[in-house]
Amino acid sequence: MGCEILVQDISVHLGGKNILNHISFTVKPGEFMGIIGPNGAGKTTLFQVLLGILEPQHGIVQFEDENHKQVERSSAIGYVPQSRQIDPEIPMTSWDFVSLGLPHKIRPWFTSKDHKAIEDALRMTDAENLSHKMIGKLSGGERQRVYLAQALVRNPRVLLLDEPTSNLDPGAQEKMASVVHKICHETGVSVLFISHDINLIARYAHRILYLTQGHYAVGAVNEVMQSEVLSKLYGNTVEVMQKGSKLMVISAGEDTVSPICYHGESQ
């Protein structure tokens, strides 16, 4: 079901700044890639390039099926944006909200195929029990799973998730990440998951892409989360420390030690 994503030498310059600087990586079918890094590092900009919203000044992006034939971007991607404003009084059930993601124009009836697609998407996201509840009345974690179901209902080959766990409590964060991991494993869809929480990503991602302004590193979590690698990314001395079961990334100056990333917080 998934497809291979090939990002080749992408550069984006905005406002006189290098946001993305000659970035190359691939994501295999059925691979879960976590994308992390400080605010302003270009994570959302990268998604805009993948979605075709933003044209890079250099480089190309391709989506290929198992036979190495190009796949249309518009039909390949399911996208969950960073934030959505939902009127809490909107008279729309979660089932109806998910139906808006179907890949055809709105029509006055749903086919049996449509019904199955909606029900399958709700089931895959553990949101079946939410189908008749009003979307505006759901908790943050419940709503995020319904957003994910809407992205899945069109049967995408790729899922782009822009900080889907931000502003959620720890339990809801874990639930969302585990649901995405399950979908990736069971369907073979390719996942790119932006997060500030390296510890959450480390539990589920096959590999990570770590972005800083103008630099990047890609590899397994234990390969990238090394002091030597992160010091090169940040351009100064960075230490990776273990505090209990948690990773802590700190920037060490001559007289101070300041956190860069710890348990989901970006400074």
Side-chain angles (χ1 to χ4, degrees):
M1 179 179 175
C3 69
E4 185 169 12
I5 308 165
L6 298 97
V7 176
Q8 301 176 7
D9 206 22
I10 292 294
S11 292
V12 175
H13 313 293
L14 297 173
K17 295 181 180 180
N18 292 332
I19 306 300
L20 300 174
N21 189 26
H22 297 287
I23 290 179
S24 297
F25 64 91
T26 61
V27 182
K28 298 293 185 182
E31 184 175 16
F32 187 133
M33 176 173 278
I35 302 177
I36 62 173
N39 291 331
K43 301 184 295 296
T44 298
T45 299
L46 175 61
F47 269 20
Q48 291 175 333
V49 171
L50 293 174
L51 289 163
I53 296 171
L54 184 63
E55 189 71 23
Q57 280 79 20
H58 189 272
I60 60 172
V61 175
Q62 292 181 315
F63 299 86
E64 295 184 353
D65 64 18
E66 61 276 7
N67 298 315
H68 301 290
K69 293 182 179 179
Q70 288 199 33
V71 177
E72 285 292 328
R73 189 194 318 249
S74 60
S75 63
I77 297 176
Y79 173 53
V80 179
Q82 186 172 6
S83 62
R84 285 179 174 173
Q85 296 299 320
I86 295 288
D87 184 344
E89 301 303 322
I90 186 171
M92 178 181 287
T93 66
S94 298
W95 197 97
D96 290 331
F97 185 84
V98 172
S99 75
L100 296 177
L102 289 167
H104 52 62
K105 294 181 179 179
I106 296 175
R107 57 194 181 203
W109 68 89
F110 292 107
T111 66
S112 58
K113 183 178 179 181
D114 293 336
H115 277 272
K116 185 177 187 306
I118 295 167
E119 289 160 6
D120 285 348
L122 288 165
R123 175 185 52 78
M124 283 191 290
T125 56
D126 287 348
E128 287 175 294
N129 63 320
L130 307 176
S131 62
H132 299 298
K133 294 184 178 181
M134 295 298 164
I135 184 72
K137 302 299 184 182
L138 301 181
S139 69
E142 291 171 339
R143 197 175 295 175
Q144 284 299 100
R145 298 205 310 277
V146 173
Y147 293 165
L148 177 59
Q150 188 189 71
L152 283 171
V153 76
R154 60 200 312 272
N155 197 31
R157 293 171 177 263
V158 175
L159 276 176
L160 303 184
L161 309 172
D162 192 350
E163 296 194 42
T165 58
S166 63
N167 301 317
L168 300 183
D169 63 62
Q173 291 180 27
E174 193 73 35
K175 175 70 172 179
M176 184 68 178
S178 67
V179 164
V180 173
H181 180 264
K182 180 187 71 172
I183 291 167
C184 179
H185 176 73
E186 292 181 355
T187 68
V189 68
S190 308
V191 171
L192 286 88
F193 187 117
I194 293 177
S195 175
H196 279 301
D197 191 340
I198 181 57
N199 294 291
L200 183 70
I201 288 296
R203 288 194 288 277
Y204 296 104
H206 298 109
R207 290 188 300 147
I208 61 171
L209 171 66
Y210 200 123
L211 291 171
T212 60
Q213 290 187 351
H215 303 281
Y216 76 100
V218 62
V221 174
N222 62 350
E223 295 172 339
V224 175
M225 298 304 294
Q226 299 286 336
S227 295
E228 182 180 357
V229 174
L230 296 188
S231 293
K232 289 180 180 178
L233 290 182
Y234 283 97
N236 59 275
T237 302
V238 171
E239 296 292 338
V240 179
M241 302 178 64
Q242 193 88 22
K243 188 173 183 179
S245 62
K246 304 294 184 182
L247 285 171
M248 184 176 183
V249 181
I250 60 172
S251 176
E254 291 184 1
D255 301 311
T256 62
V257 176
S258 58
I260 294 174
C261 179
Y262 172 61
H263 194 50
E265 293 297 326
S266 171
Q267 303 293 333

